[in-house]
Amino acid sequence: MEPQTRPGCSSIQRISNFDRTDTQAKMLLINWRTVRATRFGLGTYFAVNANYSAHPTFSVPAADGTQLMFVALVLTGHHTQGHSDMIAPPPRTPQDPNDRFDSVVDRMSNPNMFVVFHDCQAYPDYLITFR
């Protein structure tokens, strides 16, 4: 899935997210922030390509073989390279430590993964059930 932006909102992208901690979609929404890792910072990770999120490691199949995946609207804004020790995005310039990047990525050239650090930066758009 290619990142999509809405007109006038160049920093809002529709990208996939992954989670399967239990079988109820309601619990997935409540536990949105449980999808956390530390490779590129301690935040919530969003894959640009759905095939990454569909892997059984991230979308654990239920007993009947179905998997769940969110398609989310994510405010990615200005991004920079992420690092495992980040608990928040770094400042954009040393002159203003309060002006921070909005997200971090796995790589600056054609990112595959965005990491955000605030709940308000992501909105679940669709919940997809698949096999």
Side-chain angles (χ1 to χ4, degrees):
M1 171 185 286
E2 289 296 313
Q4 298 175 0
T5 58
R6 302 220 177 174
C9 297
S10 62
S11 65
I12 297 176
Q13 296 191 29
R14 177 172 284 141
I15 54 183
S16 60
N17 185 25
F18 43 89
D19 192 39
R20 183 62 179 241
T21 55
D22 68 66
T23 58
Q24 297 178 5
K26 184 186 225 182
M27 291 305 295
L28 289 174
L29 288 170
I30 291 169
N31 292 320
W32 182 264
R33 292 288 299 204
T34 64
V35 185
R36 298 171 66 92
T38 59
R39 185 165 182 200
F40 302 107
L42 184 60
T44 305
Y45 284 56
F46 295 89
V48 173
N49 297 308
N51 62 342
Y52 182 91
S53 301
H55 192 278
T57 300
F58 306 115
S59 179
V60 179
D64 66 357
T66 59
Q67 294 172 266
L68 298 177
M69 178 191 318
F70 278 118
V71 175
L73 297 174
V74 181
L75 182 60
T76 56
H78 297 283
H79 60 269
T80 190
Q81 178 67 48
H83 300 284
S84 63
D85 60 345
M86 290 181 169
I87 58 171
R92 291 178 58 195
T93 65
Q95 294 79 17
D96 188 357
N98 294 319
D99 181 19
R100 296 184 171 271
F101 283 96
D102 301 298
S103 61
V104 299
V105 295
D106 60 336
R107 62 179 186 216
M108 289 300 291
S109 173
N110 196 24
N112 286 319
M113 190 76 59
F114 283 85
V115 182
V116 298
F117 298 87
H118 301 286
D119 290 338
C120 63
Q121 286 180 257
Y123 179 81
D125 200 19
Y126 295 98
L127 178 62
I128 299 170
T129 303
F130 61 99
R131 287 183 200 264

